[in-house]
Amino acid sequence: MSKPLALIIEDDEDLSFIFSTALSQANFEVEIIHDGGEALERLRAVVPDLVTLDLHLPEVAGKQLLHFIRGDKRLEQTLVIITTADSLMAQTLNNQADMVLLKPVSFDQLRDLSEKVYEKRARFIAKRKKF
Amino acid sequence: MNIRLKLILGFVGVVLILIVVNAINLYTGNNLINRFETLSNDDARALLALGQIEASLNRMQGEAVSIALILHEAEYVTGAELEEALAEVEDELIELDVALANVQRWTTQYRHTSPDNALLADQIKASAEDMYQVSLELVRLKQAGVEGSEILVAFEVLEDIEEDVLPFLDRAILDADGALEMDQVAVSATATNASLFNLIILVVAVLITGGGSFVLIRNVTNPIHKLQQAAQQIEAGDPHVQVDLDTEDEFARLAHAFNAMSTAITDRENSLTAANAQLQEANLFKAQMLANVSHDLRTPLGAVLGHAEMLKNGVHGPMDSNQQKFLNRIIHNTRGLTDMVNLLLVQSRLDAGTVQINMASLYTDEILEYADMNFMNQAESKKLELLLKREDTVPDTLVSDETRIQQIVQNLLGNALKFTTEGYVSLRLFCPDASHWAIEVADSGAGIPDNAHEYIFESFRQVDGTTTRKHGGSGLGLSIVQQLVTMMDGEITLNSAVGRGSTFTVTFPLILDEESVPAPEEKVLA
């Protein structure tokens, strides 16, 4: 069985590297995307299992990407973890994301949580399929 | 006009009215007495004179008759007896003179009582003189030895005279008597009029003083009432009040001072409002600046923390224990810096008044999950037990502000983990009674001394300098927790003693979620 796909949408080189390492350790196949336009293109092409989403991005803002994901039936099962430095924006989008992590995001925390969230989701889908 | 002057004038006015009323009273009283005396004196004197005249006339007639009788008896005597009789006649004549003199005297008096009486007085006087002459004539006739018819004639003349004058006399007596009675009636009427006049004067005086007092009282109470109303309006929060009095007395001056005060208050309030707006603006600016700064700080902090954790995790190759120790120091300090950025941001928002409470449906389990997600790693790295529990009495969903609850839990658990070196840290949700729910954060740490309980919730305060140096931190966490709890109508209590750990309990009014639905399974974590 192939690894679940995680898109890391983050314009900061350091953070995207740290997040990708954490998610790799959590057994995800990782793709890093640095700007919003590219992210939108990619989201149209693939169905990721998990997206870590920065809100302040070049070209297309994270908020629009979140709307796109939540509005696309194809991406219904995609988990979205918002990683942002903007605490006010984080509060307003809290309901639309599966999880909001306020920067600085801990490497250990992201690794453990992404794993936990994905497992929980997988269990729920499996349970639903039984009915 | 001055109120003082008005009061003085009012007093003087009342005194003057009293004096006038008394003077009028005195005058009418005196007038009455004078009138009574004048009227009754004349008429009484007239009546007295008439009585005397009547008596004297009767006496004259009696003397004349006596003389005639003596002379008649003397016709039959001679010698010594005759002499005696003549002597008797002489005496009677003297008496007659006296009576005539009386009549003359009293008629003169009667004449003086009123000019109207002159005619009657003269008539009576003339009649009396006639009677006297007739009496003398009678004596002369007797002495001359005249007898019979001539004496009879003289007698008849006497009677005629008397008959002529007596009816007038009686009439005059009746008139005088009537006049006296009339006088009494007149005096009585005058007395009644005087009483009535006095009463009218009294009523007028009462009306004048009453009206004056009423005007004076209104002059005093109206401005007081207006000023009182204005003061109440200012008290109620409207300092723009102006009192308008159309007088020029002390109250007008007071109203002028009052208006000046009101204007001063308004000006001061305006400048305070302006200053306050400036402060508010400055606070907003500060909050915005802090938000920007914190945003810009978070990204590099994330890089520092992430790289350090990666190194520690051996992503770039194994680390020896010494290297691990220093990496832990980097991670610890980065977390401390992050906490401080968070707290400063929240405090600046609280100062700027931009923190809002958004009450919405909250799954109580999510509080425990939030604690688990954010603090389990930290607890494990300090080898502390993190105990999370929700009592059965706490409903699945309730109404609260999830973000603020997370901030409260973050600060309380963060503190507990920071100050506890061994043992446990626990978070428990429970309902102390039917209308409240509570978050209890307890630890097995050093505990907080009693004397610190009072100030521990103040900004920038920690238990002591030593602790501050050892644990770092801004001293804002508990102050922010308390401010948030207060904004949510809650209450925070501390139960702690040195060596026995600390327990913070935050209690909120329990608002049940009326439209609660089962937790959506697909939303695993908030």
Side-chain angles (χ1 to χ4, degrees):
Chain A
M1 194 179 159
S2 61
K3 286 181 180 179
L5 175 66
L7 290 191
I8 292 169
I9 307 172
E10 169 65 61
D11 64 336
D12 186 88
E13 296 274 355
D14 279 313
L15 294 186
S16 57
F17 173 64
I18 293 162
F19 292 172
S20 75
T21 312
L23 291 179
S24 296
Q25 287 205 351
N27 211 24
F28 282 91
E29 190 186 320
V30 181
E31 258 186 57
I32 296 172
I33 301 166
H34 287 301
D35 76 73
E38 199 189 325
L40 200 57
E41 231 170 81
R42 206 62 197 115
L43 282 168
R44 284 189 178 118
V46 297
V47 179
D49 295 282
L50 184 123
V51 172
T52 71
L53 184 61
D54 185 19
L55 295 177
H56 293 268
L57 287 169
E59 295 189 36
V60 179
K63 198 176 163 182
Q64 280 169 269
L65 290 176
L66 183 62
H67 282 167
F68 175 78
I69 296 167
R70 286 305 178 225
D72 193 334
K73 191 86 177 149
R74 234 169 15 92
L75 303 175
E76 204 179 31
Q77 303 300 329
T78 302
L79 288 166
V80 179
I81 297 176
I82 291 175
T83 56
T84 182
D86 188 333
S87 58
L88 273 182
M89 190 79 100
Q91 272 171 38
T92 56
L93 296 177
N94 196 6
N95 290 333
Q96 296 175 54
D98 293 284
M99 190 157 51
V100 175
L101 295 177
L102 196 59
K103 289 176 183 172
V105 177
S106 157
F107 172 85
D108 295 348
Q109 194 188 22
L110 181 63
R111 183 193 58 203
D112 297 351
L113 284 177
S114 56
E115 210 168 12
K116 237 190 240 180
V117 170
Y118 181 71
E119 277 170 15
K120 208 166 175 181
R121 165 62 53 87
R123 274 204 307 275
F124 173 69
I125 293 169
K127 211 161 90 181
R128 209 161 58 173
K129 276 179 181 166
K130 277 190 199 167
F131 288 102
Chain B
M1 199 195 281
N2 281 348
I3 290 294
R4 195 166 68 156
L5 198 60
K6 281 181 186 169
L7 285 170
I8 291 168
L9 282 180
F11 176 73
V12 170
V14 167
V15 168
L16 281 177
I17 285 170
L18 277 177
I19 289 170
V20 166
V21 167
N22 273 311
I24 287 171
N25 235 333
L26 210 62
Y27 171 75
T28 49
N30 275 340
N31 202 18
L32 199 63
I33 291 164
N34 285 341
R35 194 177 158 80
F36 181 78
E37 279 177 354
T38 316
L39 289 176
S40 38
N41 264 0
D42 284 351
D43 290 327
R45 280 210 326 265
L47 197 61
L48 177 70
L50 288 170
Q52 290 293 332
I53 288 167
E54 194 178 31
S56 298
L57 281 177
N58 282 336
R59 197 173 155 194
M60 277 181 78
Q61 196 198 16
E63 296 303 337
V65 171
S66 292
I67 288 168
L69 281 174
I70 293 165
L71 287 175
H72 178 69
E73 281 168 10
E75 282 177 21
Y76 309 101
V77 292
T78 50
E81 280 184 5
L82 185 63
E83 294 276 317
E84 198 179 327
L86 285 174
E88 241 176 272
V89 168
E90 282 302 312
D91 285 348
E92 293 296 336
L93 276 174
I94 290 166
E95 291 286 323
L96 193 66
D97 272 348
V98 170
L100 178 65
N102 270 343
V103 170
Q104 283 170 332
R105 199 179 108 220
W106 285 111
T107 48
T108 309
Q109 289 233 352
Y110 176 63
R111 188 193 173 94
H112 286 146
T113 56
S114 167
D116 297 344
N117 296 337
L119 191 66
L120 184 62
D122 288 345
Q123 217 175 348
I124 291 168
K125 197 177 163 190
S127 298
E129 279 165 1
D130 284 351
M131 275 176 78
Y132 182 72
Q133 289 304 325
V134 171
S135 298
L136 283 185
E137 180 63 20
L138 202 64
V139 172
R140 197 184 50 77
L141 285 174
K142 260 294 178 203
Q143 280 172 341
V146 179
E147 279 295 329
S149 60
E150 273 193 64
I151 289 177
L152 266 177
V153 169
F155 261 117
E156 275 171 14
V157 169
L158 258 181
E159 276 173 5
D160 284 350
I161 291 167
E162 206 173 3
E163 276 169 17
D164 279 350
V165 82
L166 273 180
F168 289 106
L169 195 61
D170 286 342
R171 181 68 191 265
I173 286 172
L174 272 177
D175 284 351
D177 197 40
L180 205 58
E181 261 177 41
M182 290 278 282
D183 284 347
Q184 280 171 351
V185 171
V187 166
S188 166
T190 310
T192 308
N193 285 344
S195 298
L196 204 63
F197 181 66
N198 278 344
L199 193 67
I200 289 166
I201 291 289
L202 200 66
V203 168
V204 168
V206 166
L207 285 177
I208 289 170
T209 48
S213 303
F214 181 72
V215 169
L216 203 57
I217 286 166
R218 279 179 66 90
N219 275 345
V220 172
T221 53
N222 274 359
I224 288 177
H225 186 61
K226 279 187 181 174
L227 282 163
Q228 185 201 359
Q229 276 183 329
Q232 280 170 340
Q233 255 176 285
I234 288 178
E235 192 194 1
D238 175 18
H240 307 275
V241 156
Q242 294 284 302
V243 181
D244 186 23
L245 296 182
D246 48 5
T247 55
E248 285 175 9
D249 54 16
E250 289 91 335
F251 284 115
R253 291 198 288 278
L254 180 60
H256 185 72
F258 187 92
N259 290 341
M261 180 186 76
S262 156
T263 308
I265 291 174
T266 308
D267 290 349
R268 211 164 305 165
E269 200 184 65
N270 287 343
S271 61
L272 275 176
T273 309
N276 212 22
Q278 279 178 345
L279 279 175
Q280 189 73 13
E281 210 175 308
N283 249 340
L284 279 172
F285 178 74
K286 189 181 81 181
Q288 187 54 49
M289 200 184 70
L290 259 166
N292 293 342
V293 168
S294 94
H295 179 266
D296 293 344
L297 278 173
R298 283 171 193 279
T299 305
L301 273 173
V304 173
L305 183 67
H307 284 308
E309 284 177 321
M310 273 163 58
L311 282 171
K312 192 187 143 205
N313 274 288
V315 171
H316 304 297
M319 294 282 131
D320 64 32
S321 62
N322 209 30
Q323 287 167 323
Q324 290 258 355
K325 190 178 129 194
F326 288 111
L327 281 169
N328 274 336
R329 295 309 305 154
I330 293 173
I331 292 165
H332 178 77
N333 281 293
T334 311
R335 286 214 171 106
L337 200 52
T338 306
D339 285 347
M340 202 174 298
V341 167
N342 286 337
L343 291 173
L344 283 172
L345 191 65
V346 176
Q347 186 59 57
S348 79
R349 281 189 187 143
L350 282 168
D351 289 345
T354 57
V355 172
Q356 286 177 343
I357 302 298
N358 299 310
M359 300 296 269
S361 184
L362 166 68
Y363 294 97
T364 44
D365 274 342
E366 286 183 0
I367 301 169
L368 303 184
E369 283 180 17
Y370 174 82
D372 182 42
M373 278 189 328
N374 288 279
F375 293 97
M376 199 52 90
N377 283 339
Q378 210 179 325
E380 277 168 6
S381 71
K382 284 188 84 173
K383 297 192 169 48
L384 295 172
E385 212 177 342
L386 178 61
L387 306 167
L388 305 171
K389 189 178 183 190
R390 175 173 77 115
E391 301 286 352
D392 293 340
T393 48
V394 179
D396 289 345
T397 60
L398 47 80
V399 176
S400 191
D401 184 331
E402 188 177 352
T403 308
R404 305 301 159 212
I405 294 289
Q406 284 175 358
Q407 279 173 333
I408 290 164
V409 167
Q410 189 191 359
N411 278 298
L412 291 179
L413 270 184
N415 269 351
L417 285 166
K418 188 156 77 177
F419 294 106
T420 306
T421 47
E422 56 179 338
Y424 69 92
V425 168
S426 73
L427 182 142
R428 187 170 73 98
L429 305 183
F430 68 103
C431 286
D433 56 60
S435 54
H436 291 87
W437 71 285
I439 303 170
E440 179 198 85
V441 174
D443 64 51
S444 58
I448 300 160
D450 279 353
N451 64 353
H453 288 203
E454 278 175 31
Y455 62 75
I456 198 157
F457 293 106
E458 291 171 22
S459 295
F460 305 110
R461 290 296 287 266
Q462 287 197 333
V463 172
D464 61 42
T466 318
T467 316
T468 311
R469 276 197 295 277
K470 187 176 167 191
H471 296 282
S474 61
L476 277 172
L478 285 176
S479 159
I480 286 171
V481 167
Q482 194 184 37
Q483 290 173 72
L484 293 175
V485 167
T486 306
M487 283 177 81
M488 295 169 73
D489 298 327
E491 201 170 87
I492 184 163
T493 55
L494 166 63
N495 186 5
S496 178
V498 176
R500 289 200 284 129
S502 307
T503 304
F504 287 90
T505 309
V506 183
T507 311
F508 297 108
L510 178 62
I511 307 169
L512 290 172
D513 188 9
E514 300 292 337
E515 297 162 8
S516 71
V517 288
E521 278 289 330
E522 64 265 37
K523 191 178 177 190
V524 183
L525 292 168

